[in-house]
Amino acid sequence: MCFRRRPGASASWIWWRMLRQGSHRALQSFCYKLGLFVSRHPVFFLTVPAVLTIIFGFSLLSRFQSERDLETLVAPSHSLAKIERSLATSLFPLEQSKSQLYSDLHTPGRYGRGILLSKPGGNILHQADVILQIHRAVLEMKVNYKGYNYTFSHLCVLRNQDKKCVLDDIISVLEDLRQAALSNKTTARVQVSYPNTKLKDGRSSFIGHQLGGVMEVPNSKDQRVKSARAIQITYYLQTYGSLAQDVIGERWESEFCKLMHKLQLDYQDLQLYSLASFSLGKDFHKTSILARGKILVSLMLILLTATLSSSMKDCLRGKPFLGLLGVLTICISSVTAAGIFFITDGKYNSTLLGIPFFAMGNYLSSK
């Protein structure tokens, strides 16, 4: 093999050109022999990939499990946030911190949270009796599991001192306001301060995360509350790590959200919003459902593009089915790859939905 040396070309350039041509000839020879081998054994190369696709496809269906822990989905295993949350849970247990000053750094375990909002210009403290009625409805709500009815008192986090349910201190404030209203006292006689207020039993409690939209009395030294727009009440459930406890807690949270939606129809003067521990995770998993229509449209466009790109004016030379076959090959390989992914204990989330479309786009751009 002879090369004509380009004027001014270096020895490294000649060596690189020889290497490139040698690699090209080697790849060309390999692909030619591979094509001959495939053409002489068509049954093997048709059945084996199909069998592997079926096997991995069944493994995909059998091993697919939805991950409900949002922290596991969005936070890496070495996340500092996980370490800080674990540290806060171990050092500031919920049943102990609530008796004095609950710092709402994190919300561990399962819970149901209700936000009650008054109309613009209204004072939600004047509706203490209505809020307590909603609170009692939540406490009396029942969920059934294996023939037994469970209420919040069966599932709640208990205080160490008296083994009673942990409740937000804003409930005590509302009860004092209701008693004052029943005894013909004005609400001004029950002084509510913000963000720290003094309860009837003499304890000082932080209600900064339970009372919202606060307007204080002008020139008040003790930061007395003139009016408030919203109240937030959180119901904490036990988390012992057992499967039965987790199932009952999830059902209670679901019924809690349904109850708040139902109570909204009965109390038109208030706006009720509900939130549970599964709310963010549920929204995260809904991205797959919301993307379903767009995925189908994208798949149809890819099929159309593959067909048109493989078609020609001359019908004898056009190969539209070759383009469809290429897209089908990508889909089959995606199913096989997903099966291998799950067999190797991989974790799936909805952000991986776009990978097959990148593969199809790369295939079409190379045609």
Side-chain angles (χ1 to χ4, degrees), residues 122-135:
N123 186 2
I124 199 167
L125 296 178
H126 292 164
Q127 304 186 52
D129 186 60
V130 175
I131 298 173
L132 290 174
Q133 291 178 18
I134 296 174
H135 172 66

Side-chain angles (χ1 to χ4, degrees), residues 103-332:
S103 179
D104 200 11
L105 297 174
H106 66 302
T107 307
R110 291 196 173 276
Y111 63 91
R113 179 170 295 155
I115 299 178
L116 296 84
L117 188 67
S118 65
K119 292 183 177 180
N123 186 2
I124 199 167
L125 296 178
H126 292 164
Q127 304 186 52
D129 186 60
V130 175
I131 298 173
L132 290 174
Q133 291 178 18
I134 296 174
H135 172 66
R136 283 194 297 271
V138 173
L139 297 183
E140 296 172 358
M141 181 185 67
K142 298 179 181 179
V143 293
N144 186 274
Y145 181 73
K146 293 185 176 181
Y148 294 94
N149 291 324
Y150 295 87
T151 62
F152 178 73
S153 60
H154 298 101
L155 307 173
C156 66
V157 175
L158 301 177
R159 291 196 296 251
N160 287 338
Q161 296 86 349
D162 50 10
K163 299 302 178 181
K164 292 184 179 180
C165 291
V166 171
L167 293 174
D168 289 337
D169 289 328
I170 194 66
I171 300 297
S172 300
V173 175
L174 293 174
E175 290 176 349
D176 293 343
L177 292 173
R178 188 190 63 173
Q179 290 296 331
L182 292 176
S183 58
N184 295 326
K185 296 181 181 179
T186 61
T187 56
R189 297 288 298 273
V190 180
Q191 297 183 1
V192 181
S193 303
Y194 185 86
N196 296 305
T197 190
K198 196 169 184 179
L199 303 179
K200 193 174 182 180
D201 57 5
R203 291 188 297 112
S204 179
S205 175
F206 178 77
I207 59 172
H209 61 292
Q210 301 169 12
L211 200 62
V214 176
M215 293 183 61
E216 298 179 359
V217 176
N219 302 323
S220 176
K221 295 182 179 180
D222 53 357
Q223 297 178 308
R224 283 195 296 119
V225 176
K226 180 180 180 182
S227 65
R229 179 85 191 282
I231 283 179
Q232 177 178 261
I233 305 174
T234 306
Y235 302 90
Y236 302 94
L237 305 181
Q238 297 173 357
T239 52
Y240 291 140
S242 65
L243 180 60
Q245 183 74 27
D246 190 64
V247 171
I248 299 172
E250 184 177 2
R251 290 188 182 182
W252 190 93
E253 289 179 342
S254 180
E255 290 298 325
F256 170 77
C257 295
K258 293 178 182 178
L259 177 64
M260 295 295 286
H261 179 72
K262 181 181 178 181
L263 292 175
Q264 177 65 82
L265 303 177
D266 299 331
Y267 300 99
Q268 299 291 336
D269 293 338
L270 295 175
Q271 296 180 21
L272 276 63
Y273 302 93
S274 60
L275 181 70
S277 64
F278 63 77
S279 298
L280 293 177
K282 186 177 180 181
D283 293 341
F284 183 84
H285 288 288
K286 276 186 177 180
T287 55
S288 301
I289 301 176
L290 295 175
R292 187 174 299 171
K294 297 179 181 179
I295 290 175
L296 292 177
V297 172
S298 301
L299 182 59
M300 296 301 297
L301 291 176
I302 288 175
L303 291 173
L304 180 62
T305 304
T307 304
L308 294 178
S309 61
S310 303
S311 302
M312 299 180 67
K313 292 182 178 180
D314 189 353
C315 298
L316 297 177
R317 298 176 60 189
K319 301 176 181 178
F321 291 103
L322 185 62
L324 295 177
L325 185 61
V327 176
L328 179 62
T329 304
I330 294 295
C331 294
I332 292 175

